[in-house]
């Protein structure tokens, strides 16, 4: 059974915690107070304070990008060797007009540089909390896209996502995180402009490998 530590107590932290509960993982939630209040306090998990011992093999940073430095300072070398999941979308929320990471980089890449001994995976930033709690998008299983350089770390996270009844799709190495963050930026911008809702999301239809193989080998007549 996978053990997970979720750092953060907001809506996304609560939604991701529910995913891990559905997957039968052992979950620890860490906030600024041992009594965080809100929906996450009602979940049947271990509650702790940021800076306490991390019990999870997987650590989810369910906090804004701007809070990474504080979390790293408080958790110190506890992140060494852990699978560290970055869910952030590093957006300038005052203007909604740009990402605040260096051009060509990503929050996940910047995080990996700060904690080089951790196994960083980008995930959950293209899924709104509603689609995680319900596990579907318009009847199709919610798809969690993820990127990272460590194959075993990605497999560990994918197994948890799939055990919760959703799909997990590996989009490639950590440099792909910048594409995931651009996608997350687009989703949030569309919702902020009321072009869609924060309850909506994207889902990928199941991939038919046999059909794809036939399509590649089929000869199309002139």
């Amino acid at each position: 059974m996978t053990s997970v530590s979720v750092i953060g107590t907001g809506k996304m932290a609560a939604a991701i915690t529910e995913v891990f509960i559905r997957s039968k993982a052992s979950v620890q939630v860490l906030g600024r107070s041992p009594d965080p209040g809100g929906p996450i306090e009602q979940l049947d998990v271990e509650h702790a304070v940021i800076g306490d011992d991390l019990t999870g093999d997987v650590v989810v940073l369910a906090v804004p990008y701007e809070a990474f430095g504080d979390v790293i300072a408080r958790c110190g070398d506890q992140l060494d060797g852990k699978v560290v999941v970055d869910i952030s979308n590093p957006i300038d929320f005052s203007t909604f007009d740009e990402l605040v990471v260096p051009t060509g980089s990503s929050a996940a890449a910047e995080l990996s540089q700060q904690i080089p001994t951790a196994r960083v995976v980008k995930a959950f930033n293209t899924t709104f909390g509603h689609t995680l709690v319900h596990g579907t998008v318009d009847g199709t299983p919610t798809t969690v896209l993820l990127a990272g350089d460590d194959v075993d770390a990605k497999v560990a996270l994918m197994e948890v996502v799939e055990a919760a009844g959703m799909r997990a799709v590996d989009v490639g190495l950590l440099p792909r995180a910048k594409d995931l963050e651009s996608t997350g930026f687009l989703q949030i911008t569309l919702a902020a402009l009321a072009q869609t809702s924060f309850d909506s999301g994207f889902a990928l239809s199941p991939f038919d490998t046999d059909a794809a193989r036939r399509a590649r080998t089929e000869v199309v007549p002139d």
Side-chain angles (χ1 to χ4, degrees):
M1 180 173 64
T2 302
S3 58
V4 184
S5 294
V6 178
I7 299 178
T9 57
K11 291 181 179 179
M12 278 299 292
I16 292 170
T17 297
E18 289 199 43
V19 170
F20 289 122
I21 290 172
R22 290 205 308 273
S23 74
K24 307 302 182 184
S26 171
V27 187
Q28 173 195 43
V29 173
L30 300 98
R32 297 188 179 279
S33 165
D35 302 308
I40 203 164
E41 189 174 19
Q42 309 306 315
L43 300 178
D44 185 18
V45 297
E46 174 193 349
H47 291 281
V49 177
I50 298 173
D52 289 350
D53 289 342
L54 298 173
T55 61
D57 298 318
V58 176
V59 179
V60 179
L61 300 190
V63 297
Y65 173 60
E66 294 77 11
F68 282 6
D70 180 58
V71 169
I72 292 170
R74 289 170 178 260
C75 294
D77 58 8
Q78 288 197 68
L79 298 175
D80 290 353
K82 300 275 191 182
V83 177
V84 177
V85 183
D86 164 28
I87 76 163
S88 70
N89 282 301
I91 300 168
D92 183 343
F93 286 101
S94 66
T95 60
F96 278 91
D97 65 355
E98 63 179 352
L99 297 171
V100 297
V101 292
T103 302
S105 187
S106 66
E110 299 297 307
L111 177 65
S112 184
Q113 290 180 13
Q114 295 179 65
I115 48 172
T117 57
R119 299 184 288 162
V120 174
V121 178
K122 187 75 183 187
F124 296 111
N125 77 297
T126 60
T127 51
F128 288 137
H130 178 87
T131 68
L132 293 173
V133 171
H134 292 276
T136 61
V137 177
D138 196 24
T140 300
T142 300
T143 301
V144 176
L145 305 177
L146 57 132
D149 293 336
D150 189 301
V151 173
D152 290 339
K154 289 189 287 188
V155 168
L157 185 59
M158 292 172 74
E159 288 177 347
V160 173
V161 169
E162 290 167 354
M166 302 185 299
R167 292 190 66 214
V169 176
D170 180 358
V171 305
L173 298 177
L174 198 61
R176 283 289 183 189
K178 66 180 183 298
D179 301 317
L180 295 183
E181 291 175 10
S182 293
T183 301
F185 184 17
L186 175 62
Q187 285 182 276
I188 292 170
T189 301
L190 289 174
L193 294 173
Q195 298 298 309
T196 183
S197 78
F198 284 102
D199 290 341
S200 66
F202 296 127
L204 300 178
S205 298
F207 184 66
D208 187 333
T209 54
D210 290 335
R213 190 178 301 111
R214 289 195 299 271
R216 286 197 299 269
T217 58
E218 206 170 60
V219 176
V220 179
D222 294 332

